[in-house]
Amino acid sequence: MGPEKITDVIGLLPYRIALAGGWIDQPFVSKHNPSPPGSMVVVGLNPTMRFMNRCGMGTSTREIADQIWGGKIPDRAPDELIRELYAAENDGLEEPSGSQDMAGLVYPGINRLDYDFLHAGGCFPVHVESNNDPSVAQWLERVLHVVPIAQRPPGYNPLGDQNLDPEWIGRLGQTGADCYNAILNKDIPALGASFNECMLCWGTILPHTVQHSTISIDLLGICAYYQSRYDGAMYSGCGGGYLLVVSEGEVPGGFNISVKTAA
């Protein structure tokens, strides 16, 4: 007889999914933002399934959190927990993970993370705006469809080609604010537009986010297909992972998330 619950296998820690604005949490990006703060959105997820590694779902951060916290988020100030987890994961790394990975695990609900390079060198949000309204969470669960595409391949690195243009970085930071507002307003076209604009910014600022010698599939072509047929689409992280599709109707091959809201 197998385990009674999936959490008996994968643990009770939440997952996190990152929506529009990703990369603005990296200081080498935010330092060029002409109109800070720039924003991105992260959403805490209930552990209803195991998300694949190397797919932009913060799984490595979740593993570190499990090791240092024993499978449970401690009852302490969120900003303290984010810094503790950030230090544990990035110890000795030349290319540290951004703090949005940690914030998405620590904060339940739907969260807008605002980054300003003048605050903590851009490593941590200057402000976090959170929404735990069950009706908003249920709406997002219904219109966000997650389509598995491919894991990041071995040897992949998104940072080889950098075009840190201030105008585009300003646009990137705005996609996070637009995404958050669209979710709160339950505005499907605006949410999709924020996804599409984020992908455009990624492809311009860090082209290897979506095209790289180690990537054998046409990530841009797949994304363009969904963008042309639904309200919007973006990848869960650099190098592919899952495609996040905004649609009122069903998306073949897609599944829906379960948002973890504050008790």
Side-chain angles (χ1 to χ4, degrees):
M1 187 173 178
E4 292 186 5
K5 298 178 291 185
I6 187 62
T7 50
D8 292 338
V9 182
I10 65 173
L12 293 168
L13 284 173
Y15 283 92
R16 81 95 184 88
I17 194 167
L19 306 183
W23 286 112
I24 203 67
D25 63 313
Q26 287 283 0
F28 78 89
V29 175
S30 67
K31 71 186 295 185
H32 299 287
N33 188 0
S35 52
S39 304
M40 68 171 295
V41 174
V42 293
V43 181
L45 303 182
N46 289 308
T48 57
M49 60 170 283
R50 182 191 180 277
F51 286 94
M52 294 185 294
N53 296 341
R54 298 183 62 80
C55 285
M57 297 299 296
T59 53
S60 61
T61 305
R62 187 177 185 266
E63 290 172 2
I64 297 295
D66 188 42
Q67 293 171 17
I68 66 173
W69 292 335
K72 182 180 180 182
I73 304 291
D75 185 16
R76 289 191 269 123
D79 59 342
E80 176 186 334
L81 296 175
I82 291 169
R83 289 171 181 262
E84 181 178 320
L85 187 52
Y86 181 92
E89 178 164 5
N90 289 320
D91 184 30
L93 296 183
E94 291 185 7
E95 298 175 354
S97 299
S99 62
Q100 60 100 346
D101 290 335
M102 300 81 199
L105 286 181
V106 169
Y107 281 99
I110 300 156
N111 305 279
R112 190 193 74 219
L113 312 178
D114 299 336
Y115 287 88
D116 185 337
F117 185 74
L118 296 181
H119 172 79
C123 291
F124 302 101
V126 65
H127 176 72
V128 178
E129 190 74 22
S130 299
N131 185 284
N132 282 275
D133 183 336
S135 70
V136 173
Q138 290 163 11
W139 176 85
L140 185 61
E141 290 172 344
R142 181 170 58 82
V143 305
L144 184 63
H145 306 263
V146 182
V147 181
I149 301 295
Q151 294 172 290
R152 293 192 305 271
Y156 169 77
N157 186 311
L159 303 180
D161 188 5
Q162 301 181 20
N163 174 36
L164 302 176
D165 181 87
E167 179 183 351
W168 279 98
I169 290 171
R171 287 174 63 171
L172 175 67
Q174 185 60 43
T175 67
D178 292 345
C179 177
Y180 187 76
N181 290 337
I183 294 171
L184 267 57
N185 292 327
K186 302 178 183 177
D187 186 333
I188 290 177
L191 180 59
S194 74
F195 281 22
N196 294 344
E197 173 76 353
C198 182
M199 284 302 304
L200 188 60
C201 291
W202 283 3
T204 302
I205 298 167
L206 294 167
H208 288 179
T209 294
V210 287
Q211 290 182 301
H212 191 267
S213 60
T214 62
I215 298 174
S216 61
I217 61 175
D218 185 0
L219 293 180
L220 284 175
I222 292 171
C223 188
Y225 171 87
Y226 284 89
Q227 288 177 338
S228 69
R229 287 160 177 79
Y230 301 97
D231 292 278
M234 66 174 289
Y235 285 105
S236 57
C238 57
Y242 298 90
L243 191 66
L244 312 180
V245 183
V246 180
S247 174
E248 181 73 55
E250 293 299 313
V251 176
F255 62 88
N256 299 102
I257 59 172
S258 174
V259 177
K260 176 180 175 58
T261 53

